Amino acid sequence: MDGALSGRRAVVTGAARGIGFGIAKRLAAEGAAVTIWDVDGAQGERAAAELRGAGEVDALAVDVSDAASVDAAARETLRRHGRVDVLVNNAGIAGPNAKTWEYPRDAWQKVLDIDLTGAFLCCQTLVPSMLERKYGRVVNVASIAGKEGNPNASAYSAAKAGVIALTKSLGKELAGTGVLVNCVTPAAVETDIFTQMTREHIQFMLSKIPMGRFGAVDEVAALVAWLASEDCSFSTGAVFDISGGRATY
């Protein structure tokens, strides 16, 4: 894929660290100019500075769960770069591990606001400008939990199932416009999000992966980079598994 995104402008949410950072790094290496949207503005700036050796990268402080924040970031990104060709909705939190009937209601709402509504707001804000140019790639980072439902993670599982459904709906709405929408469903990838989970929950996730290991950030980033490119031309509304064999449907 050497230079497959040359000249493209991309936004990656939640890219100050973890999978999002890996995705931003890969897109920049493929030639894209990348804008990091992250709620941690200081860390976003540090991430952008670290990645500038790979390409053109800048950052904005954005709360994807807040419509006004997303709208303002979209305006500033379009002012700086003129367009957005690629949107990667990666921002998310795991939330606590608890039985559904014991799950804190405020935590439930926070997980859905960030993981699902955040993706909706970013799509709603940036897709119209893609439609104007009749070109765009939206890649949503869902999870294997959205396919199977992880016990003691009902909010995260429900939110990621919603991201899968959002991908299918938006992909069908945009079919034929030149704007393609797909999502990836990783099994567990060892990043900072593990600090939000119990050791028991982490071991449960590992036990479900036939390959017997967690995924690597670079593996997810490689798949996202292909979905963000022109090489992906006849897939939309689709779910791309990257789970070490855990889910094969």
Side-chain angles (χ1 to χ4, degrees):
M1 285 188 63
D2 188 28
L5 296 172
S6 180
R8 297 298 184 189
R9 303 282 180 174
V11 166
V12 184
T13 70
R17 54 178 60 84
I19 292 175
F21 179 82
I23 291 170
K25 181 179 180 180
R26 180 60 185 262
L27 299 189
E30 294 292 346
V34 179
T35 300
I36 292 170
W37 286 10
D38 201 284
V39 70
D40 186 341
Q43 182 58 36
E45 291 289 352
R46 286 191 289 271
E50 183 176 343
L51 292 178
R52 283 189 188 116
E56 183 182 347
V57 184
D58 61 359
L60 289 171
V62 188
D63 178 356
V64 297
S65 69
D66 180 78
S69 181
V70 172
D71 289 346
R75 286 193 299 269
E76 178 59 18
T77 301
L78 291 170
R79 185 192 70 78
R80 291 182 185 183
H81 300 295
R83 69 184 194 278
V84 172
D85 303 300
V86 176
L87 167 63
V88 181
N89 284 306
N90 166 79
I93 60 171
N97 295 135
K99 301 294 185 187
T100 301
W101 58 92
E102 297 172 346
Y103 206 93
R105 292 180 178 177
D106 58 342
W108 169 276
Q109 192 61 57
K110 185 175 181 180
V111 171
L112 264 68
D113 285 347
I114 294 171
D115 294 17
L116 176 56
T117 301
F120 161 75
L121 290 173
C122 291
C123 288
Q124 190 178 59
T125 304
L126 290 175
V127 163
S129 66
M130 295 179 179
L131 276 171
E132 289 177 4
R133 297 185 312 281
K134 298 180 177 160
Y135 181 87
R137 297 290 185 270
V138 178
V139 186
N140 296 321
V141 179
S143 169
I144 203 68
K147 287 185 172 184
E148 296 192 346
N150 284 346
N152 302 311
S154 56
Y156 183 76
S157 299
K160 293 303 187 178
V163 171
I164 292 171
L166 172 63
T167 300
K168 292 176 180 291
S169 294
L170 185 58
K172 290 175 181 177
E173 290 167 358
L174 294 171
T177 67
V179 182
L180 306 184
V181 186
N182 294 288
C183 73
V184 297
T185 52
V189 176
E190 195 161 6
T191 66
D192 289 349
I193 204 168
F194 273 35
T195 63
Q196 303 174 35
M197 303 175 187
T198 63
R199 177 50 53 184
E200 292 76 15
H201 189 71
I202 292 169
Q203 287 304 121
F204 165 79
M205 293 188 298
L206 181 59
S207 72
K208 293 287 187 178
I209 302 174
M211 282 190 174
R213 67 171 177 87
F214 293 120
V217 168
D218 288 349
E219 292 172 318
V220 179
L223 178 55
V224 171
W226 178 76
L227 291 169
S229 75
E230 291 182 61
D231 288 341
C232 176
S233 57
F234 196 54
S235 292
T236 197
V239 182
F240 288 79
D241 184 74
I242 183 163
S243 69
R246 175 173 170 179
T248 54
Y249 63 93

